Amino acid sequence: MNQVLNITIKFMDFPAELLLDILGHLDIYDLVRARKVCSDIRQLIDSSSELQYLIDIRYFNAIPASLPVGDISVPTRRQLLQKSETAWQRAEYSQRNSIPMSYSPDNYRWSCGILGIPAKSLQQLKFVQPSLSDGDTHTIDLQQRICKIDSTAFEGYSFSPAQDLVAILSRTTRGESHAYDVTFRSLSEDKPHPDAGSPLVKALDNQIHPQLFDSPYTQSMIFGDYYGLFCKFAHKADGELVDFLQIWNWKSKEASQCLQMFDTDCGTTNFSFLTNDRFLVASARELRLFSLDTIDSVNAIRLVARFSFPALKDPFIFHFITFSPIPFHASAHNQLIAINMCMSAPTTNKSPYFTFYIERNTLLELESTYISRYGEASQDSPSLPWSAWGPKYTRFFENSYSSCIHRIFGFRSADLIGDLVSHDGVFQPRPLRIRDFNPHRVTDFKAGNITTSNQRLVEGESPNSTLFLDPLGPGLPYIETISQEKFLANDMTMEANRITLLSLKVGNSMYDISQSIEMLDFE
């Protein structure tokens, strides 16, 4: 008679390589929880550089595309990531490199560390990319690329270095049936982009009054496969004044597009993509969340939620609202959104400026909150009141002047503190302020696991402003670090491991000013 042996195999009896392979399929939060099961599993996870690196990426909300690639080992990648985070926490850069510019940029834009500068007098767009040319001496070069433009028709541009794409907006002559020509060109070669469904599309074709159309304000944005164009105070074909928003799938051969019109009384001011199929529109009273759906190969815009702004003291109104751009290469990661507000009133010449932050995932999750309360959104449906979402999920900051720049990357923001020009009319250097809204780091800081002398935890505070009738609330907690060094700069941009400053050098007078690009490497 055969005997059956009952053999009990425990999880830890499997080879370590197999156990690590199994653990590698867990969600990061489950992986962290698995460390608490027993000391053997904790030691196994802690012995794996690969698993520890995955945990670090989630903890720091790092974007893998911004981290070292190629032949660099995982332990080295983890070491570089931790070194960079330490530098950010202390507001201490490891290298500072500068290169002068022979011209003063105007109407410039930043994207992925590249500076775009229209040079209409030369009938070209310049794209300047500062990069290290020598790893030993840390000297830097300015790599320049050129796109030709028609200076008489040039209206604006957007560019996406990650997709090697420049979208150039040009006005048509009065009497044409469309308002603008949009050309999609290669950033590196100044020729039609090879992935463009059509190298040129007609904006607002057969939608405008050919003689009356003259929009005073346009805004454009590239996000992945989509290009959006917003035109304010534009005359329809029947002469009515409206605000237009048109969106294309620029890679589609069918020039798939959709169109949305807003009543000018709504005070629509701006739009921004959040994901591939969600975007925000700001008006004088609220944020509106839209879905970009594809039905029978045709794009369609659908309103999905509405969110009220805090009420203002009479007679102030929200005069203008803008969004800080969201990098598409970071679209799969949760990150902060910065919403900039300018208020005005007929009784004063002063224009207060505020910026508030909210996590992108929070906004997306609030869609279900709205639907559960009001059902499917429509033009006549109510807005989710500020009290139901704002005080808990946002953080407000009052800006001392209109050009205060808040740069965002992931859960981290950076800005220069104070006014660039003093009350005496003199340019003055300013310290750099870094705010870290990463909830993991905030939790560890509160628990005493992080001790840094030049950092402070900010929570429970809100701007002391009599401008708002609704309470702004304590909002998102964050860790603040202010640099000891001061910088004379009028703008900046922020990447995973770098801040790039547009620095100033003042000569004998206010008019004797030269500019340079300075790179602060936090690595």
Side-chain angles (χ1 to χ4, degrees), residues 507-519:
N508 296 325
S509 70
M510 286 281 290
Y511 302 100
D512 183 14
I513 301 173
S514 59
Q515 290 192 280
S516 63
I517 289 179
E518 291 194 89
M519 297 161 51

Side-chain angles (χ1 to χ4, degrees), residues 451-470:
T451 54
T452 307
S453 58
N454 63 335
Q455 289 188 312
R456 72 180 185 113
L457 175 66
V458 180
E459 60 178 348
E461 297 179 7
S462 60
N464 184 21
S465 173
T466 59
L467 189 64
F468 296 94
L469 296 178
D470 290 333

